[in-house]
Every structure is written in structure tokens, then in C-alpha cells.
Amino acid sequence: MTSLFALWTGAILSLAGGSVTEVTIASTVDQTNVFIAVDGSVEHRVFAMEGPHRLVVDLMGATNALPRNEYQAVNRGGIRSVRASQYSEEVVRVVFELTEAARGYIVQPDPRGLRITLDNPEMTPFEPWSSGAAAPVFDPTALRPASVAPQQLQSQAERVTIRFTEEPIQSVLLTFANFSGKSIIPGAGVAGAVTAEIIDQPWDVALETILSAHGLAAQEDEYGIIRVDRIEDLNQREQVEPILTQAHRINYATAQEVSQAIQPLLTERGSVTVGQGTNTLIVSDIARVQEAVARLLRDIDVRTPQVSIKAKIIFVNRTDLNELGVTYELKDSRGNQINQLSDGAADLNGDGEITLPDEAVAQGTAVVSLGGNSIAALGNAAARVGNPTLQLLTSMVVGRHQLVSFLDALQSVNLSDIEAEPQVTTLDNQQAQIHVGEITPIRTIDAGAGANAGGTFPTAQVTQQETGIILRATPHVTANGNILLELEAERSAAELAEADAGFIFRTQRARTRVLVEDGETVVIGGLTQSERTEAQQGIPLLMDLPVIGRLFRVTREQVVQRDLIILVTPHIVRGAN
């Protein structure tokens, strides 16, 4: 066995070059056999690569004569796809993309090309695959290349060229039996004449096409004997054919899920049951159905890749606040005082003198004098800056009046940065969900429920709401190794409402469907929200004066900016190397 790391091997076969004409993949027990047909002699080197897992074959001194350069969805024996290219002027590179790292491989030169034996990770036989014959020949009369039939690409049988003109079907079957070396037996109802011309086609494909055109079908038993019957005779024979019961072990799925796909294959007498303890399907039906079930299970019960999904949710909330205000209070020492902004003093005993602290008046206690001329005033008293960071007090005495003014200023910046990085791993085509947060109970009161029931009190119900970081993702791995993501990411928080309305849920959510490469980071959501609020309160008319108007008003400016970015990075988990 060769090493798992990059390994160069070469065998000098000849100085002459050759053409790469065909690539075939076949199965033997627990191994995968790859044959690269070369028309001529070339040198070779083989090495393994990772990310994704690949086996690379370089053929030096060769030219590429394959029908196509890329074959997707090969999906046989641990080989996903095959790519071929003229890597350089004298080098043809053939790349086999593998489902997992190559645990071992053997390279054997062959007079007709190169043979490579790989370990089959699926451990089950599979149908052979071929890239087809050499490059299509251009037909100048038809002005298009002559294409290769799809059935031809799947058959490795010996090719035949023959013509039939009103030949009895029994003679046609005898001709195919002599050519193929198979035992072919026609049924009692097989009759008719065949007129056909077969040109360079695999004999089994040609025989199947002729039988299908005449309403016939062929079945080969375990001894290699081919029996030909009319299709209606086959259906009647299945009505009396014995029922077989076989157990099919399911490895990578659940038997309950797979049983739904098996149902359409069953005959009227067939049945399928699920063995929950052993994850097994027990199928009872005729032999043909048992073979069809086995083939279908080989295709659908396969190891599916896992996908690790990492999301990053960034939420930035920035609040800028600026407040500036001037407030006034005019006091009369021998008369009216409102005293909303500061303490005061008044001649309370009427002796004509103000004696402190006996005649001090606390802030908020108004003094009303109705005995003479007196005036008191307030400016912007109810619009003061809350929790100011700067306060400036001035006072001016004019006779028995005192003017007190306050200058309040505030500037604040609040910044909150919330980052969440949820990560979850799930199987291909399976939804995954992760929730980090709280479940908030919401109480709902139905005022009319009690009255309808004859009671006197309304009834209340409690529901629950999920909040926090929520990630829901369903990955689909494509044939070329990309990932189709159905994704929903959410960040939410509950806040008490100002009114008696319960809660307010502030939510940022993104829901999308994107196609990304393995390991690629994609931005699925981005939102910038800005709110600007400006409020002015002041003394009418005076607050609108140019320049000096700012002395008679309180100004509040607030700017709120919210930024939300959601990034997602999916990665295919390919297992241990």
C-alpha cells in the first residue's frame, strides 16, 4: 500500500507518447478498481491530496482524448467525481475526488494503460462506470459531433454489428446466445419477426432494445441463464411466484424513514416492517422486488457528510446625548416667591426685616403676598437638564428683587457591543437549532372570559416566548462540494413596556438561502439604523430670537445608531484523516 501523503511514483514505459481514451471504475469485493486506458506508452506519477480528498494521476507524454473533461456525480466506490485536463503540453492530469482520505492504493502499469486499486469505504459492490470511448468524431455532413448513447457508457459488454430482416425472434435470440456465450431461453408465448440493424453496440444493450421494441423482457437468474418472456406473462407469473423474506440492515439512516421509499417497489402481495431495535427493514416479496430493494438501499443508505455551521452576530448600539439649558427664577424679598429652583427668604413676621434662618423658605415652598405690588417669575423651570455634568449659578440683586439663573449642560456617549458566536454541527439535509437565551413568560388577561363563564374576575393565560441568540440552519451539500444553506439567525431581547402592555421584544432577524463554498465566510445580514431626536423648550418669543435665543430655551439632542452584522461560515466535516 502506498502512503497517505503525497507520493510520487513513476515507471518509464517507453519514449513514445500516447492518448488517454477512457476511464473506467469497477468493483471487486471491498475494493475499487480504476483503469485509465492509454493508446500508447506513457510515464505516470500518482499522489494524494487533502482539502478536499483527491487522488491525482499525471500521465507524462500523453494527450487528452476523453469525450469530456469533467464527470460529476460518479458516486461509486468512494469516488465522487472525475476530472481530466491537458495539464501541460505533454502531461494529462486525471483527478479523482474521494469521499474520504485514501487509506491505501496500489498502482500497476498495464500494456493498455494504468490500473489503480483503492480501498472501497462503502464496503459494498456497485455498478461499473465508464467515461465512454474516445473523443466523438465530427460528422461534416450533419454539422454536429456524433454523440455516445447513455446506455453505451454504462455497458462493458462486447460490441456487435449485425442486421436482421424479418428474422424470427427465436433465431435472433440464438444469434445473441452464440455471440455472447450465454444461455438464452425464450418463453412459450415469444413469437414474431425482427427487422433491425445494430452498428457497433454492446450486445446486451442491443438485445434489451430489440426485446423492448417487441413487448418482451429478459431476466437472468443466479446461474447466468437468460429467460425471455412477454411482459404480460411475467406479470402473471409474479402472481404465483413464491414470497421471499429478507432483512436489510440500515446503516446511515433510520429504518422508518427508508421504509417510505421502499413502499412503491412492493407488489400487491408484498409488505415491509421495521425492526426498531436493530434498525432493520424486513421485506417480504418476490425475488425481483428483493433485488430492486437491495439496489435502492445501496443508493440511498449511504454515509452523508456532516456540516459544521459557525455564525457570528455583532450588534453595536451607540447613543450620543447633548443637553443645554438656561433656567431663571425672579424673587421678591418682601412679596411673592415661587422658589422652584432654589431656597428663598421672606419677611414672614412683617417687622420689615428678614432674619435668617428663621425666615428662610425651603425650595418648593411658594410665598404669596397679596398686600401690595410684588412680582415673581420662572423661566424653563420644568425643562431643566436631568443629571447635568455642568451647572453654573448666577444671581443679581436689583432693589428688593433677586434674579437667580442656572446654566445646565450635559454630554454623554453610551456604547454597547454585543457579539455572539453560536456553532452547531448537523448531518446533511437535517435542520439544526441552537438557542442561547431566556424563555420569557407573557401573561395575557382576557377581560371578557370571566363574564362569559358567569364569574366576576377575568381570566389570565401565560404563554412563553424564546429570546436571546437563536440559530436555525439546514445544509445541503452539492455534488461539487459546495453547501446550500437555508439559514435563520435571530437576536432578541424582552423589555418592559412603559405603559401597562406587558413586554416589548426588540428583535434582529435574518432569514436567507445562500450557496457558499466549503469554509467560506459569507455576510447574510447587515443593517445600520440611525435615529436623531432634537427637542427645544423655552420662553415663548424669546427662545426664537437670533443668537440670544439660546439663553431662553433648553435644547436636547440625541443620536442613536444601531449596527447589526451576521456572518456565517459552514465547513464540511469529512472525518479523521
Side-chain angles (χ1 to χ4, degrees):
M1 291 293 178
T2 49
S3 170
L4 297 181
F5 300 100
L7 178 64
W8 298 86
T9 60
I12 301 178
L13 302 178
S14 174
L15 295 178
S19 299
V20 179
T21 59
E22 188 177 9
V23 177
T24 59
I25 303 174
S27 171
T28 57
V29 192
D30 59 347
Q31 292 182 328
T32 300
N33 292 328
V34 178
F35 178 70
I36 304 176
V38 181
D39 184 13
S41 299
V42 296
E43 303 175 12
H44 71 269
R45 59 191 176 195
V46 182
F47 58 95
M49 298 183 66
E50 303 295 331
H53 306 300
R54 288 161 291 168
L55 187 69
V56 182
V57 180
D58 284 345
L59 302 167
M60 285 80 73
T63 56
N64 184 16
L66 292 174
R68 291 188 297 165
N69 289 338
E70 188 170 358
Y71 300 88
Q72 296 287 347
V74 174
N75 297 329
R76 283 171 172 80
I79 299 178
R80 293 183 186 272
S81 61
V82 179
R83 299 194 306 272
S85 63
Q86 191 72 43
Y87 186 68
S88 64
E89 185 177 353
E90 296 182 353
V91 177
V92 173
R93 170 163 289 183
V94 183
V95 180
F96 300 90
E97 184 177 350
L98 309 177
T99 57
E100 60 182 52
R103 292 174 293 180
Y105 54 89
I106 299 176
V107 182
Q108 295 178 325
D110 187 275
R112 297 172 298 170
L114 190 66
R115 295 187 182 275
I116 304 173
T117 302
L118 296 161
D119 291 337
N120 182 3
E122 300 174 2
M123 302 295 290
T124 56
F126 54 86
E127 295 292 330
W129 176 88
S130 173
S131 64
V137 179
F138 187 79
D139 184 1
T141 61
L143 296 180
R144 62 179 180 86
S147 60
V148 182
Q151 292 182 349
Q152 174 181 328
L153 300 180
Q154 301 295 329
S155 177
Q156 303 298 312
E158 190 174 355
R159 310 177 79 83
V160 61
T161 299
I162 195 170
R163 174 181 295 178
F164 299 107
T165 304
E166 293 295 327
E167 190 76 17
I169 187 65
Q170 289 82 358
S171 299
V172 173
L173 297 178
L174 181 61
T175 301
F176 277 99
N178 293 332
F179 180 82
S180 63
K182 295 276 189 177
S183 298
I184 303 178
I185 301 176
V190 175
V194 176
T195 299
E197 183 176 3
I198 308 299
I199 300 176
D200 192 26
Q201 295 293 330
W203 72 266
D204 54 351
V205 175
L207 176 60
E208 181 182 357
T209 305
I210 292 175
L211 296 179
S212 176
H214 290 77
L216 304 174
Q219 288 184 336
E220 185 174 359
D221 60 18
E222 63 271 19
Y223 303 104
I225 300 176
I226 301 175
R227 178 170 176 172
V228 179
D229 285 292
R230 295 185 304 171
I231 295 178
E232 54 266 27
D233 293 340
L234 290 176
N235 295 334
Q236 294 177 1
R237 190 171 66 189
E238 288 183 350
Q239 299 299 324
V240 296
E241 189 174 342
I243 298 294
L244 304 178
T245 300
Q246 293 184 3
H248 302 270
R249 178 73 177 272
I250 308 301
N251 297 315
Y252 301 107
T254 63
Q256 187 65 41
E257 294 174 345
V258 176
S259 64
Q260 303 299 323
I262 298 300
Q263 291 289 346
L265 300 178
L266 302 179
T267 62
E268 295 180 355
R269 298 186 296 155
S271 64
V272 57
T273 57
V274 176
Q276 299 287 355
T278 57
N279 199 36
T280 303
L281 282 181
I282 303 173
V283 181
S284 297
D285 215 318
I286 61 177
R288 176 185 62 81
V289 175
Q290 296 287 2
E291 295 175 359
V293 169
R295 289 194 299 268
L296 180 61
L297 290 180
R298 284 198 296 268
D299 292 335
I300 65 177
D301 185 28
V302 295
R303 181 177 179 179
T304 57
Q306 295 188 104
V307 180
S308 176
I309 303 170
K310 183 178 180 181
K312 189 170 186 179
I313 303 175
I314 304 174
F315 180 72
V316 180
N317 190 349
R318 178 187 176 94
T319 302
D320 294 335
L321 179 63
N322 293 308
E323 293 186 66
L324 178 65
V326 181
T327 56
Y328 307 92
E329 182 171 10
L330 181 65
K331 299 176 183 291
D332 187 345
S333 61
R334 288 178 291 173
N336 295 321
Q337 294 184 21
I338 302 177
N339 296 324
Q340 292 292 321
L341 300 180
S342 62
D343 297 339
D347 186 8
L348 300 179
N349 55 16
D351 60 358
E353 295 183 2
I354 299 176
T355 305
L356 295 176
D358 296 334
E359 294 181 318
V361 180
Q363 180 180 349
T365 302
V367 175
V368 180
S369 177
L370 301 177
N373 297 328
S374 180
I375 185 172
L378 285 175
N380 301 334
R384 296 195 64 181
V385 176
N387 299 320
T389 56
L390 173 65
Q391 286 186 303
L392 182 62
L393 171 64
T394 62
S395 63
M396 182 176 62
V397 178
V398 180
R400 68 180 193 180
H401 290 86
Q402 181 181 16
L403 177 64
V404 180
S405 62
F406 290 88
L407 173 65
D408 299 328
L410 171 66
Q411 181 177 4
S412 65
V413 177
N414 296 325
L415 178 65
S416 62
D417 185 357
I418 302 175
E419 296 187 11
E421 296 187 17
Q423 182 173 355
V424 65
T425 302
T426 182
L427 285 173
D428 186 23
N429 301 312
Q430 298 295 322
Q431 187 187 64
Q433 177 176 339
I434 186 171
H435 175 213
V436 181
E438 304 82 21
I439 297 180
T440 304
I442 304 174
R443 189 166 178 260
T444 304
I445 299 178
D446 187 356
N452 295 334
T456 58
F457 297 99
T459 61
Q461 295 180 349
V462 177
T463 60
Q464 294 181 339
Q465 175 74 31
E466 292 183 348
T467 58
I469 304 299
I470 302 175
L471 175 66
R472 300 182 184 93
T474 303
H476 307 280
V477 180
T478 63
N480 58 355
N482 291 340
I483 303 172
L484 179 64
L485 267 182
E486 297 180 5
L487 193 71
E488 180 179 354
E490 174 184 319
R491 178 199 173 271
S492 57
E495 297 180 4
L496 287 173
E498 295 181 358
D500 187 13
F503 293 93
I504 295 176
F505 293 93
R506 302 192 183 275
T507 304
Q508 297 85 38
R509 179 187 295 120
R511 181 182 299 166
T512 184
R513 188 178 185 185
V514 293
L515 180 65
V516 298
E517 296 182 359
D518 183 14
E520 179 185 6
T521 299
V522 59
V523 179
I524 66 165
L527 174 66
T528 298
Q529 180 182 2
S530 297
E531 297 180 9
R532 180 183 179 87
T533 304
E534 182 174 349
Q536 293 183 351
Q537 291 178 283
I539 302 174
L541 300 179
L542 297 180
M543 64 176 289
D544 297 326
L545 293 176
V547 182
I548 64 173
R550 297 180 63 90
L551 300 177
F552 303 99
R553 66 174 180 250
V554 175
T555 304
R556 176 186 176 89
E557 296 180 0
Q558 183 177 15
V559 178
V560 179
Q561 180 172 323
R562 300 182 181 93
D563 298 309
L564 173 67
I565 301 176
I566 302 177
L567 304 99
V568 174
T569 305
H571 180 69
I572 300 176
V573 181
R574 304 183 184 275
N577 294 333

